[in-house]
Amino acid sequence: MYRIGELSALCNINKDTLRFYEKSGLLQASARSSAGYRLYSEQDKDILCFILRAKGVGFTLAETQELLSIEIDKESKACSDVKQLVDDKLTEIEAKIAELKCFQKSLKTLSNACCGGHESAVHCTILEALEQGSNDVRYEHSVRQGDQ
Amino acid sequence: MYRIGELSALCNINKDTLRFYEKSGLLQASARSSAGYRLYSEQDKDILCFILRAKGVGFTLAETQELLSIEIDKESKACSDVKQLVDDKLTEIEAKIAELKCFQKSLKTLSNACCGGHESAVHCTILEALEQGSNDVRYEHSVRQGDQ
DNA sequence: ATAAACCTTGGAGTTAGGTCTAAGGTCAAG
DNA sequence: CTTGACCTTAGACCTAACTCCAAGGTTTAT
């Protein structure tokens, strides 16, 4: 059994994060010492590694918890359940990549148009683009939201 | 002069956001009515559009404020100052894209390896990868952090 | 004159994923 | 028997960019 400091050192993670995962329902220590210290088993360590790997491929803690609940009750779950989570995440990540690429394109256009010299910025093409809004620099992400 | 509701409708933005921008030091209404209502000039509207465009290419509000302080004092600033901000942002966004692509690659590997069938998940390759950590699914983003 | 639609303020709440603090209990070494 | 390293808890704080709320003042139309 590992105490919290040992497990956190072993897995390169903050002790507080481990307590936070417990509070979030992701990982309970499987025992407590007589003094109330958390005691983690090998299996607890394996679950922590699972959590960290899920995090490492981009899953949020809530999604990781879903994965974990499948992992713990494999028999009654289907492969398609697991694959669905992965594919949904993939779709989400691809959307984020597309958004960032849109930013990247606009920023490249701005950067390439600017001389970058040490003269005054009075006629800077970047500032002009932001003042007037050219075709190259749209702002597609500002969508009207609800009001009180 | 526009009242807050008029400007917010004109620019497709929440009134509270406008108040929030004021509190954040990004945009002050250039006058107040006798009753204390915010009154925005054409120039204020232009500044708001500048802010929204900067936001639209991925700048945070803090970065937008930097851009704005250059915009307002162009004469004493250089093109290189502006371009530096854009290029820094570009670097940051490219790093984020790289991170997401790494997630994407791992998730694709997981998805492709899984049958996705309706049989039990007991032998699901995705769950196995997360349990054991294959070479294909590394978790590079967990870095040991400081502790109390 | 009164209702609806507008505006004001200060301050709290939201999300995600931690991180930190204070006040105190436990354990091993010297 | 005390020092230092370890552990406990509840709860506050952090970032970013809003969003919402309550309580109240103003303006405009009927």
Side-chain angles (χ1 to χ4, degrees), chain B residues 58-75:
Chain B
F59 285 108
T60 65
L61 295 188
E63 290 157 352
T64 298
Q65 198 160 15
E66 271 195 87
L67 280 169
L68 218 41
S69 75
I70 294 178
E71 166 75 12
I72 281 160
D73 186 25
K74 278 181 182 181
E75 296 75 22

Side-chain angles (χ1 to χ4, degrees), chain A residues 8-9 11-17 19 46 49-59 67 70-71 74-83 86-87 89-90 93-94 96-97 100-108 110-134 137-148, chain B residues 8-9 11-17 19 46 49-59 67 70-71 74-83 86-87 89-90 93-94 96-97 100-108 110-134 137-148:
Chain A
S8 74
C11 294
N12 269 354
I13 194 176
N14 192 312
K15 283 181 284 189
D16 279 324
T17 303
R19 295 192 190 100
D46 292 343
C49 289
F50 184 103
I51 292 167
L52 295 176
R53 277 188 211 105
K55 210 183 114 175
V57 298
F59 285 107
L67 280 170
I70 295 179
E71 167 73 13
K74 278 181 181 181
E75 295 75 23
S76 63
K77 303 296 169 94
C79 260
S80 54
D81 296 335
V82 185
K83 189 164 179 166
V86 170
D87 288 345
K89 193 72 201 177
L90 207 39
I93 281 178
E94 279 162 0
K96 272 191 202 156
I97 290 175
L100 289 176
K101 278 190 171 169
C102 174
F103 288 163
Q104 182 190 29
K105 189 163 169 258
S106 300
L107 288 167
K108 272 187 176 168
L110 286 175
S111 181
N112 290 338
C114 177
C115 67
H118 288 286
E119 61 269 37
S120 154
V122 171
H123 300 295
C124 177
T125 49
I126 294 176
L127 293 179
E128 280 172 6
L130 291 171
E131 283 158 25
Q132 303 151 26
S134 72
V137 187
R138 291 174 228 101
Y139 53 109
E140 349 216 285
H141 301 285
S142 63
V143 177
R144 177 111 168 90
Q145 266 123 0
D147 209 343
Q148 350 173 180
Chain B
S8 73
C11 295
N12 269 354
I13 194 177
N14 192 311
K15 282 181 285 189
D16 279 324
T17 303
R19 296 192 190 99
D46 291 343
C49 290
F50 184 102
I51 292 168
L52 295 177
R53 278 187 211 106
K55 210 182 113 175
V57 297
F59 285 108
L67 280 169
I70 294 178
E71 166 75 12
K74 278 181 182 181
E75 296 75 22
S76 64
K77 302 296 169 97
C79 261
S80 53
D81 297 335
V82 185
K83 189 165 179 166
V86 171
D87 288 344
K89 194 72 202 176
L90 207 39
I93 282 177
E94 280 163 359
K96 272 191 202 157
I97 290 175
L100 289 177
K101 279 190 170 168
C102 174
F103 289 163
Q104 183 190 28
K105 189 163 168 259
S106 301
L107 288 168
K108 272 186 176 168
L110 286 175
S111 182
N112 291 338
C114 177
C115 66
H118 287 286
E119 60 270 36
S120 155
V122 171
H123 300 295
C124 177
T125 51
I126 293 176
L127 293 180
E128 281 171 7
L130 290 172
E131 283 158 27
Q132 304 152 24
S134 72
V137 185
R138 292 175 226 101
Y139 53 109
E140 349 218 285
H141 301 286
S142 63
V143 177
R144 178 113 167 89
Q145 265 123 359
D147 209 344
Q148 350 173 186

